[in-house]
Amino acid sequence: MRREEAGNVQRPRKKQVGKTCQHFPGLQPMMSDTEEFLPLDPALKKQAVNVKKMEHMKKKVEQKKKKQQKQKLMAKRKQPEQMAAKDRAPLQQCLGPGCVYPTRPGSKYCSDNCGMKLAADRIYEILPQRIQQWKNSPCIAEEHGKKMLERIHREQQDTQTYLKDMERHFHELEAIILRGKQQAVYNNEEKSEDGRDSSHLKIFCVSCGHPTNMRVALRHMERCFAKFECKSSFGSLYPTCIEGTSRLFCDRYDPKSKRYCKRLQVLCPEHSKDPKVLDDEVCGCPLVHNVFELTDNFCHLPKRLCNHHYCWEKLRRAEVDLQRIRALQKLEELSVQEHKVRTAMMNRAGLVALMLHQTVQHDPLTSDLRSKVDS
């Protein structure tokens, strides 16, 4: 019994300060009850308090965000139910003729067919009266439009006649050029032309501005014009297609600019070159009397020596082609004007205009509503 009692007696444990446990090295040593806590720095105390406050504020903010998200979700769930309840409350009957169904949300009709039926009934009811009023009261703009159409038709006929004359003149010029080439060459006339003392006379070129001799002025100006003309380009995305006409535009396709050349085919210095003049080729220019009166005589000088009629064929052809192009442009402008006038006249008496506009005739005895100036 003594041994058991001795074993049950608890022996006081010695507290070790400054040493760690052998079996659990991670544990820190326990301090004795008798030891006193060391005083802390007030700055450290403030930092610890601030950290606790910040953590507390963060928790509050997170809780508020969660509450707001829950409220938004609940509001989204309630909105469709509220909208459905609101839409069901103000439902009305469809305005379509003979329709008894309720209207769609945000509309006056239950379907598109009901709206079309009501619009058709309105047109059938109102349109005949408006047409009768339109016929009874004359429209000044309608009369002006008819007069303008008559003027446009007259100008179109005149332009077409002028274009036919230019086409005839085009063929006549080709025949004259062919007759001139068939003439014989007279070298005797060369002496009379060269006998004129014009070697000291000079003229300034209109293109480059340099002084040139009178005898070779035309040749020099033509070459200068070709040089400056090649520097500029006149193109279009589409080729020209005009029925009944020939030899107007160059229409040569340029792969670099991806456009069609719109110079006159006769005068295009970039895509056409003058043919080489032979030694025995005659000038063949038709001679005139008093500037404008044509004669049956032709210039019989060799073409390479004739300085007065240089490139006369090309210039005459270009003049005729330019007049033809101007006539075609005028026809196009007249057609555009006619289209505008006809469109205005059709819209003036159209369905929408008759339904939206109305002329009030206060005096039933007066059919003409135009204001008249008292004499």
Side-chain angles (χ1 to χ4, degrees):
M1 292 297 291
R2 290 179 180 178
R3 292 180 179 177
E4 292 177 358
E5 291 176 1
N8 293 331
V9 173
Q10 294 181 355
R11 295 178 180 179
R13 297 179 181 177
K14 295 181 180 180
K15 295 182 180 180
Q16 297 178 355
V17 179
K19 295 182 180 180
T20 58
C21 183
Q22 296 178 358
H23 301 286
F24 302 99
L27 296 176
Q28 294 181 356
M30 298 291 293
M31 296 180 67
S32 62
D33 298 332
T34 59
E35 280 184 303
E36 295 179 359
F37 289 96
L38 296 174
L40 294 174
D41 191 4
L44 296 175
K45 287 182 180 180
K46 288 182 180 181
Q47 289 180 0
V49 172
N50 291 334
V51 169
K52 289 182 180 180
K53 286 183 179 180
M54 292 296 293
E55 290 178 354
H56 187 63
M57 291 294 292
K58 286 181 181 179
K59 288 181 181 179
K60 284 187 176 181
V61 171
E62 290 177 357
Q63 289 177 0
K64 285 183 180 180
K65 287 183 179 179
K66 289 181 181 179
K67 287 182 180 180
Q68 289 178 358
Q69 290 178 358
K70 289 181 180 179
Q71 289 176 359
K72 287 182 180 179
L73 291 173
M74 293 297 292
K76 287 182 180 179
R77 292 176 182 175
K78 290 180 180 180
Q79 277 181 358
E81 298 177 356
Q82 292 176 358
M83 291 296 293
K86 288 180 180 179
D87 292 339
R88 291 172 189 169
L91 286 180
Q92 298 178 358
Q93 186 177 352
C94 177
L95 296 180
C99 184
V100 295
Y101 294 103
T103 60
R104 292 180 297 185
S107 176
K108 298 180 181 180
Y109 311 99
C110 65
S111 62
D112 295 337
N113 293 330
C114 288
M116 297 296 290
K117 288 179 181 178
L118 182 61
D121 291 347
R122 286 175 177 171
I123 291 172
Y124 294 147
E125 182 69 24
I126 300 172
L127 188 60
Q129 299 177 3
R130 298 291 174 85
I131 293 174
Q132 189 65 28
Q133 291 177 0
W134 174 263
K135 291 181 179 179
N136 292 335
S137 58
C139 181
I140 302 174
E142 194 76 12
E143 294 180 2
H144 288 321
K146 291 178 180 179
K147 292 180 181 179
M148 193 175 295
L149 283 177
E150 292 177 359
R151 180 184 60 80
I152 290 172
H153 290 325
R154 285 197 303 268
E155 290 183 2
Q156 285 178 345
Q157 292 176 359
D158 296 340
T159 308
Q160 288 176 357
T161 305
Y162 178 75
L163 183 60
K164 289 180 181 178
D165 293 341
M166 288 296 104
E167 292 289 340
R168 180 175 53 79
H169 188 46
F170 164 75
H171 294 292
E172 289 179 356
L173 179 61
E174 295 297 325
I176 290 172
I177 293 172
L178 185 60
R179 283 177 57 194
K181 289 181 179 180
Q182 295 174 356
Q183 302 297 321
V185 179
Y186 295 158
N187 292 324
N188 295 331
E189 296 185 7
E190 183 180 352
K191 298 179 182 179
S192 63
E193 294 290 337
D194 295 338
R196 299 175 183 176
D197 189 11
S198 59
S199 59
H200 64 283
L201 297 177
K202 291 187 177 182
I203 189 173
F204 291 96
C205 178
V206 295
S207 298
C208 64
H210 293 292
T212 58
N213 194 352
M214 285 285 292
R215 294 183 60 187
V216 294
L218 290 176
R219 296 176 184 272
H220 177 80
M221 290 180 184
E222 188 68 24
R223 290 171 185 172
C224 280
F225 172 77
K227 289 180 183 178
F228 285 101
E229 188 71 14
C230 288
K231 295 180 181 179
S232 60
S233 61
F234 304 91
S236 175
L237 294 174
Y238 306 100
T240 304
C241 299
I242 303 174
E243 296 181 358
T245 57
S246 59
R247 200 199 68 195
L248 282 178
F249 297 101
C250 178
D251 278 336
R252 181 71 65 87
Y253 182 74
D254 187 6
K256 293 182 180 180
S257 61
K258 297 182 180 180
R259 294 178 181 273
Y260 294 89
C261 180
K262 290 304 171 185
R263 294 191 186 95
L264 287 177
Q265 185 179 1
V266 182
L267 293 179
C268 184
E270 188 176 358
H271 303 116
S272 63
K273 295 182 180 180
D274 296 334
K276 191 175 181 180
V277 180
L278 302 176
D279 295 337
D280 58 346
E281 188 174 354
V282 70
C283 175
C285 178
L287 301 178
V288 295
H289 177 67
N290 293 332
V291 181
F292 297 107
E293 297 178 5
L294 291 173
T295 61
D296 295 334
N297 298 326
F298 294 88
C299 179
H300 296 280
L301 283 174
K303 193 170 187 179
R304 61 184 180 83
L305 298 177
C306 184
N307 295 320
H308 293 280
H309 308 126
Y310 181 71
C311 291
W312 72 271
E313 301 168 357
K314 182 170 70 173
L315 297 177
R316 292 282 184 89
R317 285 170 174 167
E319 183 181 358
V320 175
D321 292 348
L322 186 60
Q323 291 175 354
R324 291 161 64 200
I325 289 173
R326 287 175 178 173
L328 291 171
Q329 288 180 349
K330 190 173 182 181
L331 281 176
E332 186 176 0
E333 291 175 359
L334 291 173
S335 64
V336 172
Q337 291 180 9
E338 182 183 4
H339 177 69
K340 288 182 179 179
V341 173
R342 289 190 180 279
T343 304
M345 293 175 68
M346 290 175 63
N347 294 335
R348 195 176 295 119
L351 174 63
V352 178
L354 291 175
M355 292 292 293
L356 296 178
H357 308 292
Q358 182 182 6
T359 302
V360 179
Q361 189 172 352
H362 299 282
D363 189 2
L365 301 177
T366 305
S367 59
D368 193 355
L369 302 179
R370 290 177 289 185
S371 59
K372 298 180 180 179
V373 181
D374 297 334
S375 57

